[in-house]
């Protein structure tokens, strides 16, 4: 397995009068084209770990390498560029900007990257939205869409700069069962049809069991890291 993400003894301690350890001595390797669930009880450090992997937070100690790069050696601007180039994010609450259209929301990461012309950005955003079944909604505002549709827009936005890794924090947590299944199928297809690595925090154990691998946390520590025998279905 080619290592894409390597975590060694990652620890995140929240400074306070009584310091709080969010993540403790976490180590694992994640390869290309993996579909991974991060599970654990409430308060176990799932989202804190995801934010470390997504370079949205810095570890107190330990090492995180992404695509061979030691991220501890990067300054804030370099971390921002790595996030923009290599990582895509999907959250439980989509965080679409209400003042922009569906198309405009998906174009935003491309505008920030500054690599494509306006025409190229529009063409790519349109293609991503069409692939996700949203061809008829390009000019709508987010508040005109259902919850499941908004989450699909968020997935399209996450894919805008063609990242190698998509990180999802409870992507089905606010959806009904039908929309949850649709989003799961999309995440699965990102791995098996688009060649991405997907790491998803989820409380839904049925969905976790259908992923390729499950990393389970308790009190900020990895207590199991297993390949799922059921696999993706």
């Amino acid at each position: 397995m080619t290592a894409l993400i390597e975590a060694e003894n990652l620890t995140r301690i929240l400074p306070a009068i009584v310091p709080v350890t969010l993540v403790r001595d976490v180590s694992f390797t994640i390869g290309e084209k993996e579909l991974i669930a991060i599970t654990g009880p409430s308060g176990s450090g799932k989202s804190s770990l995801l934010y470390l992997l997504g370079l949205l937070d810095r570890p107190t100690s330990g090492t995180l390498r992404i695509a061979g790069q030691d991220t501890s050696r990067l300054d804030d601007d370099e971390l921002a560029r790595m996030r923009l180039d290599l990582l895509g994010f999907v959250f439980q609450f989509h965080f679409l900007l209400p003042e922009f259209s569906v198309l405009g929301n998906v174009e935003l990461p491309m505008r920030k990257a500054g690599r494509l012309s306006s025409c190229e950005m529009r063409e790519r955003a349109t293609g991503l939205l069409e692939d996700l079944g949203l061809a008829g909604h390009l000019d709508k505002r987010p508040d005109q869409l259902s919850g499941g549709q908004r989450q699909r827009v968020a997935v399209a936005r996450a894919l805008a700069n063609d990242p190698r890794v998509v990180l999802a924090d409870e992507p089905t947590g606010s959806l009904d069962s039908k929309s949850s299944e649709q989003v799961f199928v999309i995440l699965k297809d990102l791995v098996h049809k688009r060649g991405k690595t997907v790491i998803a925090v989820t409380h839904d154990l049925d969905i976790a069991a259908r992923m390729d691998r499950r990393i389970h946390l308790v009190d900020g520590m990895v207590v199991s890291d297993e390949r799922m025998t059921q696999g993706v279905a």
Side-chain angles (χ1 to χ4, degrees):
M1 178 178 67
T2 301
L4 181 55
I5 296 175
E6 300 168 274
E8 293 181 7
N9 303 117
L10 279 187
T11 296
R12 177 68 172 104
I13 300 174
L14 195 63
I17 295 175
V18 179
V20 178
T21 300
L22 304 175
V23 175
R24 186 193 304 272
D25 293 328
V26 166
S27 299
F28 51 63
T29 298
I30 293 172
E32 302 273 7
K33 302 179 184 178
E34 287 202 78
L35 179 57
I36 297 172
I38 297 177
T39 61
S42 178
S44 61
K46 302 185 298 296
S47 293
S48 297
L49 176 58
L50 196 75
Y51 295 160
L52 291 174
L53 298 179
L55 307 180
L56 297 172
D57 194 12
R58 288 182 181 266
T60 304
S61 62
T63 302
L64 175 66
R65 286 185 291 274
I66 298 180
Q69 178 73 57
D70 183 351
T71 61
S72 67
R73 300 176 181 274
L74 303 180
D75 62 27
D76 289 345
D77 288 341
E78 291 169 327
L79 288 174
R81 173 51 62 177
M82 180 173 275
R83 282 196 302 270
L84 201 58
D85 290 344
L86 296 180
L87 308 175
F89 299 89
V90 181
F91 299 97
Q92 177 176 356
F93 303 103
H94 47 78
F95 298 123
L96 301 178
L97 297 182
E99 64 270 27
F100 287 89
S101 68
V102 165
L103 190 67
N105 268 280
V106 178
E107 289 177 336
L108 282 174
M110 291 182 273
R111 294 187 185 283
K112 192 169 184 179
R115 293 192 292 264
L116 302 177
S117 68
S118 294
C119 182
E120 289 170 327
M121 287 188 290
R122 184 177 183 87
E123 182 178 353
R124 176 162 176 77
T126 298
L128 288 168
L129 289 163
E130 288 177 348
D131 287 348
L132 293 169
L134 295 165
H137 303 282
L138 305 188
D139 296 322
K140 291 182 178 179
R141 303 287 178 177
D143 63 3
Q144 295 176 290
L145 304 179
S146 69
Q149 288 170 331
R150 288 194 292 268
Q151 200 62 302
R152 280 185 274 158
V153 175
V155 172
R157 182 182 58 188
L159 295 173
N161 288 327
D162 195 25
R164 294 174 70 180
V165 182
V166 174
L167 301 117
D169 192 7
E170 297 284 7
T172 64
S174 61
L175 303 178
D176 58 44
S177 57
K178 180 179 179 181
S179 297
S180 294
E181 179 63 20
Q182 290 172 342
V183 170
F184 170 74
V185 170
I186 289 168
L187 296 179
K188 176 188 71 174
D189 287 347
L190 292 183
V191 176
H192 296 285
K193 294 183 179 180
R194 293 179 180 265
K196 308 299 181 186
T197 289
V198 174
I199 306 168
V201 165
T202 182
H203 68 276
D204 190 326
L205 298 183
D206 290 333
I207 284 180
R210 296 165 62 195
M211 295 191 179
D212 299 327
R213 178 179 172 190
R214 176 183 171 191
I215 297 172
H216 190 68
L217 300 182
V218 174
D219 295 333
M221 297 181 289
V222 174
V223 296
S224 65
D225 182 352
E226 58 183 336
R227 298 286 171 181
M228 306 307 292
T229 56
Q230 179 176 334
V232 179

